[in-house]
Amino acid sequence: MEAEMDDLLDRFQGCLVGLAVGDALGGPVEGCTVNEIAARYGRLMEMVGEGWLALRPGETTDDTAMMLCIARSIVDQGRFDPDDVAQHFLGWFRSRPKDIGNTTRRALVELERGAPWKRAGLQAHRALGGMSAGNGSIMRCAPVALLHYCHEHLLIRDSVYSSIITHFDQKASWGAVAVNLAIARLLDGGKEGLVEAVASKIAQKDARRALTQVPSLKDVPIEVQAGVRRGEEDRTNAFLDGLAVCAVDREVANRAGAYLREYRGRGITLDFADSIIASTAVGGELMLVTENAAHFPMPEVRLIGPKGQAWSNLT
Ligand SMILES: [Mg+2]
């Protein structure tokens, strides 16, 4: 029992420290595209600092500061008290932090003027013309998951409350619910079927739809897994786990279908999977590594051989 509690405490701490570490790691590239980050750093694995906030290496941003507001309030009150959380947000706001999101700033101005926590987010939502579905209430929501990790209905209610203090839009509230449900499941090690399980509890349809578009790792490496030899499984899985995954969304599907149609008209039968791969690469502005350049005749696909040869020069 004690060992189990130690393990759980370790996971709780890991959740909050992980949030801060991710914030510090990603802060310097906030606002950059995937391609800009790849061009500058390859895979960003170090605390580099700088960026638009001129961060010191390892310095955290508003994500961590606001998460700590919620965590400290929960510790002070022994429960989730939205009024007290709002006061902690205000205390942080008055310390003049250098990075406050637009929606959050607007709501905190309302709170400062005396709006109750239930009204501040709504007033900000109206002042912003209904545009309050930012990520600002999702980045900070994790402590609510830890408080209620085994009380699902309370987790859902307080995730919504923690969100609407600043972000009235339901997409933001239910985004926070989704992240917190995922955290609660992951505390138990429940990685299998995670996205589907979370999506099934999300009442807001846009947030639920967004979740169903999250690619799962098992969707992509079919070809690699099919070719694995005995004894290579662990190394292959470790390799695949380290890769980013691109979603096959509607845009990718439409372009893949257009490729099949266009080349059929020229008497060339493209492979179904290859047309999806080509379309994904084009959509993500990715380099496609292949030994079979002939399978990808589309001029806009940027091909490279497995040893780095430029196929366009070879064929
Ligand atoms: Mg931030």
Side-chain angles (χ1 to χ4, degrees), residues 23 27 30 52-53 60-64 99 139:
D23 181 21
E30 183 170 312
W52 75 278
L53 290 167
T60 56
T61 74
D62 54 342
D63 308 43
T64 303
D99 54 336
M139 67 188 197

Side-chain angles (χ1 to χ4, degrees), residues 186-198:
L186 287 169
L187 286 170
D188 283 334
K191 243 165 134 177
E192 205 54 47
L194 175 70
V195 174
E196 297 79 1
V198 169

Side-chain angles (χ1 to χ4, degrees), residues 87-307:
Q87 291 309 311
H88 275 77
F89 286 167
L90 260 188
W92 168 72
F93 180 54
R94 289 176 184 141
S95 75
R96 308 215 162 277
K98 54 185 171 185
D99 54 336
I100 305 185
N102 265 345
T103 310
T104 299
R105 178 187 300 279
R106 186 68 231 177
L108 294 181
V109 166
E110 299 294 337
L111 273 177
E112 180 99 87
R113 290 176 184 161
W117 72 269
K118 265 191 180 168
R119 298 282 302 175
L122 172 60
Q123 284 166 209
H125 179 78
R126 287 181 179 150
L128 294 166
M131 303 285 281
S132 70
N135 72 330
S137 66
I138 299 168
M139 67 188 197
R140 68 185 187 217
C141 68
V144 178
L146 303 185
L147 176 66
H148 293 313
Y149 82 100
C150 48
H151 298 106
E152 194 171 280
H153 64 288
L154 294 176
L155 181 149
I156 292 173
R157 184 196 70 186
D158 286 346
S159 297
V160 170
Y161 284 172
S162 79
S163 184
I164 64 173
I165 298 170
T166 52
H167 292 63
F168 180 77
D169 194 299
Q170 286 205 26
K171 293 193 280 295
S173 316
W174 284 95
V177 171
V179 167
N180 279 341
L181 285 170
I183 291 171
R185 273 182 81 95
L186 287 169
L187 286 170
D188 283 334
K191 243 165 134 177
E192 205 54 47
L194 175 70
V195 174
E196 297 79 1
V198 169
S200 72
K201 316 227 162 178
I202 300 302
Q204 206 280 334
K205 69 175 184 342
D206 298 311
R208 189 173 59 243
R209 188 171 341 114
L211 273 168
T212 62
Q213 288 169 358
V214 173
S216 85
L217 284 172
K218 70 180 184 298
D219 295 338
V220 173
I222 299 168
E223 205 166 348
V224 176
Q225 293 287 12
V228 170
R229 288 187 288 255
R230 193 185 292 261
E232 292 178 344
E233 296 89 347
D234 289 349
R235 272 185 301 153
T236 306
N237 287 332
F239 168 70
L240 291 172
D241 280 347
L243 299 178
V245 178
C246 300
V248 176
D249 56 19
R250 183 167 308 219
E251 182 197 324
V252 169
N254 282 337
R255 186 169 39 238
Y259 285 150
L260 288 166
R261 190 176 64 236
E262 181 189 334
Y263 282 87
R264 189 175 58 225
R266 299 195 214 167
I268 299 168
T269 306
L270 292 179
D271 184 78
F272 203 82
D274 286 345
S275 67
I276 298 171
I277 292 167
S279 175
T280 306
V282 168
E285 296 177 40
L286 303 169
M287 197 71 91
L288 202 164
V289 183
T290 181
E291 287 186 314
N292 302 310
H295 293 179
F296 304 98
M298 314 79 170
E300 66 273 34
V301 178
R302 294 187 298 154
L303 294 174
I304 190 168
K307 297 196 176 103

